[in-house]
Amino acid sequence: AYDMEGAFNRVAVKLAPGGDERAVIDALERRLARYGGRSAHGREDQTSHAMLDNEIKEQRVLATMLPAISLGLAAFLLNVVISRLVSTQREQIAALKALGYPNASIAAHYLKLVLAIVALGLVLGLLVGRSLGLMMLGLYVEFFRFPVFDYQMAPGLVLISLGLTVLTAVAGTMNAIAATVRLAPAEAMRPPAPGRFRPTLAERLGFTRLSTVLRMILRNMERRPWRSSLAVVGVAASVAIVIMGNFFRDAIENIVDSQFNLVMRNDIAVWTLEPVPDRARDELLRLPGVLAAESSRFVPVTFVHGHRRERSQIRGYAERPELYRIVDVDNRVTVPSADGLVLTDRLAEKLGVRVGDVLQVEVLEGRTRTLQLVVDATVREMMGLNAYMSRPALNRALGEDDLSSGFSLRVARAAEAGVLDATREMPRVVGAFSKATMLRNREEISARNIRIMSTVMTVFAAVIAVGVVYNNARIALAERTWELASLRVLGFTRAEVSAVLLGELAITIAVALPLGMLLGWGLVNAMVEALKSDQFFFPVVILPRTYAWAAICVVVAGVASALVVRRRIDRLDMVAALKTRD
């Protein structure tokens, strides 16, 4: 078409293993400079690499936060279980020590028990982890195009998992095991001293009209503040995990609503390979079904401020944009100024500029030019390192005619397919997309992926909640069987006896819910800050339904645990319980 042979205007280079990227870039720039070649850039400046790098960063953050929470709760549960086991075997421990068994042998016995639990947990964790990894890989296949997708469980990762798990288990149970070896034989052969009960904090503050059952519950919780506090923290962590898992759904919905309804108010976007005279907009307006058209222009540039340089592009919009707008994270619309630049806050921060500063702009399109442009405003956006100007002002700064390289169209409801077909016949148009189709595809894929992630996180949180609530209830029942049987003999009904034990669970959950919601909010903010990158960051949006869903999941897990414990209470053998006093 251009009567050329072997001509090109873009080249991609693959380096040999161990190649020096900077040296190759410098050599390319020197070689191509006489032909009008622009500055070369490495992989880190490619959009595809940035997307993949952000995805890896996101997985790294999640793979740090979730195991940290789960390992902490595992340490707590093991500590409770081993402490209870030690307390029920005081007499046997005392007899062994009296017979001459050293402390190290007794401690090693309990450590072997812990390590057996760890071994079973590691096998189960590897199987479940592999299944989740394969499922995650299936999601990536739909987004990224690589020659081969192969899931591998790195041996180093398995060893790290084993080491962290063993370390957590031993650290969580060391206190209980140390308490065992510190027992003197004579003291251990005696039953533990009865607990010292006293008026609760509420009673001391003047709340004296408490029911007998509630008073018993509060006194027992205050008698063991460490265990009660850890139980509350464990349930709160479950609430936080559900909130964190469902936060992505809220954030994606907010992003989609902002980008597709507030920023992009057009129906079709059309762009050209090179800038064209703006009269092309009139040709698009004459297409059947086109109701409105708005021009824009995108110019690749390098911003320079002092020693700082940043590759980006200037987006030239209409002076009063209606179909393609600048909208910040708070959904406020910004209108480009008459002559200056509007920068995203992250780009301004990277360049070290403020409003009123002058930026040196090296144009990477057409002939070599360097502009001096004033920063008129900054805007906090979710997407990228962007810079904006009004399109007429951008063309004036470039010293060019009224040129455009993109067009936003609003079309009649039934005319979209016809307009897309017509744009394919236009010689300078290289691309066009329908916002409705793009939105439909994105919602279909995102909705399913977010649903899978939310389900996994909710199940994970429910397992933790059941583990914490049921474990505490079951151990409390084992420790207080004699007390509960005594209450039944004294005339308390089954419901009243159950209320003594299950009321503690109810108070634990009631205290944990608001604490978990606050913890979830904090975790989401920490995660968003850790995931923030130059290209994108999630807005912190947690809808009321997410808090409600987290509360429902934990309450249901608590109720299920309570029903199992209540059944055991109803089957309590009072005669057998009263014969033994531990």
Side-chain angles (χ1 to χ4, degrees):
Y2 285 91
D3 193 23
M4 293 180 176
E5 183 178 348
F8 65 90
N9 60 2
R10 181 172 297 182
V11 60
V13 177
K14 182 176 181 180
L15 299 184
D20 187 341
E21 181 183 281
R22 186 66 258 171
V24 173
I25 288 176
D26 292 340
L28 282 172
E29 289 179 346
R30 289 194 302 271
R31 181 70 60 88
L32 299 177
R34 58 177 174 164
Y35 302 107
R38 299 299 186 185
S39 60
H41 60 273
R43 178 185 292 176
E44 64 179 10
D45 292 322
Q46 297 177 13
T47 304
S48 59
H49 174 80
M51 290 179 62
L52 186 59
D53 190 60
N54 287 338
E55 192 66 29
I56 294 172
K57 180 180 179 181
E58 177 181 333
Q59 294 305 322
R60 186 181 296 115
V61 170
L62 291 177
T64 302
M65 297 181 69
L66 292 180
I69 296 172
S70 60
L71 287 174
L73 293 174
F76 159 64
L77 291 176
L78 278 173
N79 180 70
V80 172
V81 170
I82 298 300
S83 296
R84 170 58 189 164
L85 188 61
V86 168
S87 67
T88 59
Q89 296 179 353
R90 286 169 57 94
E91 294 182 6
Q92 289 85 348
I93 294 170
L96 291 173
K97 297 184 76 170
L99 291 173
Y101 280 82
N103 291 338
S105 297
I106 298 174
H109 168 74
Y110 288 103
L111 278 176
K112 289 176 184 177
L113 174 62
V114 172
L115 293 178
I117 296 173
V118 169
L120 293 174
L122 182 67
V123 173
L124 180 61
L126 291 176
L127 294 176
V128 175
R130 179 175 176 80
S131 299
L132 290 176
L134 289 170
M135 183 176 67
M136 183 74 74
L137 186 67
L139 300 180
Y140 279 107
V141 170
E142 298 183 11
F143 282 97
F144 298 101
R145 295 290 182 264
F146 290 108
V148 177
F149 269 101
D150 185 20
Y151 178 79
Q152 295 181 355
M153 187 175 289
L157 181 61
V158 175
L159 292 177
I160 291 174
S161 301
L162 175 61
L164 286 175
T165 306
V166 171
L167 182 63
T168 301
V170 172
T173 56
M174 190 56 68
N175 181 59
I177 295 174
T180 302
V181 300
R182 284 197 300 264
L183 286 173
E187 178 187 352
M189 287 183 180
R190 293 196 302 267
R196 296 183 62 184
F197 292 92
R198 60 175 182 170
T200 63
L201 177 63
E203 293 174 276
R204 295 196 296 274
L205 291 176
F207 298 95
T208 56
R209 295 187 178 182
L210 301 177
S211 67
T212 303
V213 172
L214 180 58
R215 190 172 300 160
M216 293 169 65
I217 292 170
L218 294 177
R219 288 185 179 183
N220 188 68
M221 292 183 72
E222 283 196 11
R223 187 165 66 96
R224 289 177 173 150
W226 180 241
R227 182 186 296 183
S228 300
S229 300
L230 287 178
V232 169
V233 171
V235 178
S238 303
V239 178
I241 290 174
V242 178
I243 290 174
M244 190 165 62
N246 287 271
F247 151 74
F248 288 100
R249 178 188 59 187
D250 298 340
I252 292 295
E253 288 184 4
N254 177 267
I255 292 168
V256 169
D257 178 66
S258 176
Q259 295 299 312
F260 285 87
N261 295 326
L262 299 178
V263 175
M264 300 166 56
R265 303 172 75 189
N266 57 319
D267 299 308
I268 293 176
V270 179
W271 64 96
T272 60
L273 178 61
E274 296 176 345
V276 298
D278 193 56
R279 60 176 177 270
R281 181 171 63 92
D282 298 329
E283 297 180 31
L284 293 170
L285 278 171
R286 286 195 291 269
L287 294 176
V290 176
L291 304 177
E294 193 171 271
S295 306
S296 55
R297 184 174 180 187
F298 302 97
V299 179
V301 298
T302 297
F303 293 109
V304 181
H305 185 248
H307 66 281
R308 304 187 185 190
R309 301 174 63 87
E310 196 68 37
R311 291 176 63 95
S312 183
Q313 62 177 351
I314 298 178
R315 304 184 178 199
Y317 286 179
E319 292 181 299
R320 302 293 299 179
E322 292 294 335
L323 300 183
Y324 203 68
R325 307 188 299 174
I326 307 169
V327 180
D328 66 10
V329 293
D330 298 316
N331 294 332
R332 293 190 298 260
V333 178
T334 299
V335 177
S337 61
D339 295 303
L341 285 167
V342 176
L343 303 182
T344 56
D345 57 342
R346 281 170 289 169
L347 179 56
E349 182 179 348
K350 291 196 73 173
L351 291 170
V353 298
R354 299 179 180 179
V355 174
D357 289 348
V358 177
L359 263 181
Q360 183 177 326
V361 182
E362 298 175 356
V363 180
L364 304 179
E365 177 184 276
R367 61 184 176 85
T368 303
R369 284 157 292 179
T370 299
L371 311 178
Q372 303 291 329
L373 298 176
V374 178
V375 178
D376 279 348
T378 60
V379 60
R380 189 166 180 256
E381 276 192 333
M382 290 179 281
M383 304 288 185
L385 303 174
N386 301 320
Y388 304 96
M389 286 184 72
S390 73
R391 188 182 59 85
L394 177 58
N395 283 326
R396 286 196 303 271
L398 293 170
E400 296 179 345
D401 296 331
D402 194 11
L403 300 179
S404 302
S405 56
F407 303 91
S408 302
L409 309 181
R410 180 182 295 160
V411 302
R413 184 182 298 272
E416 188 173 287
V419 173
L420 287 172
D421 290 338
T423 60
R424 295 191 184 100
E425 303 299 325
M426 296 181 172
R428 290 197 170 187
V429 171
V430 295
F433 71 85
S434 162
K435 184 180 77 171
T437 302
M438 185 177 179
L439 179 59
R440 184 167 57 251
N441 294 340
R442 181 182 293 271
E443 286 183 340
E444 179 182 345
I445 296 175
S446 297
R448 184 188 59 193
N449 294 349
I450 293 298
R451 184 170 61 249
I452 292 173
M453 182 176 182
S454 299
T455 300
V456 171
M457 298 282 273
T458 300
V459 171
F460 180 53
V463 169
I464 291 176
V466 170
V468 173
V469 174
Y470 177 75
N471 190 66
N472 275 346
R474 188 69 185 85
I475 289 179
L477 176 60
E479 290 177 341
R480 304 178 68 187
T481 298
W482 188 86
E483 297 175 14
L484 298 176
S486 300
L487 292 176
R488 291 282 287 120
V489 171
L490 292 173
F492 280 68
T493 64
R494 287 181 176 178
E496 291 173 326
V497 171
S498 299
V500 172
L501 190 62
L502 301 183
E504 187 171 331
L505 302 184
I507 292 176
T508 298
I509 293 175
V511 174
L513 286 179
L515 180 62
M517 292 176 185
L518 183 62
L519 179 61
W521 180 85
L523 283 176
V524 166
N525 277 273
M527 182 173 61
V528 165
E529 188 63 28
L531 292 175
K532 187 168 65 175
S533 66
D534 292 341
Q535 287 74 28
F536 182 77
F537 81 95
F538 282 97
V540 179
V541 178
I542 306 176
L543 299 180
R545 71 180 182 193
T546 297
Y547 288 115
W549 175 244
I552 290 171
C553 290
V554 172
V555 168
V556 168
V559 170
S561 303
L563 290 176
V564 175
V565 175
R566 169 63 191 268
R567 187 179 180 185
R568 290 181 175 272
I569 294 175
D570 291 343
R571 293 181 176 181
L572 190 64
D573 187 344
M574 292 185 290
V575 176
L578 291 173
K579 283 182 179 179
T580 303
R581 181 69 177 102
D582 184 3

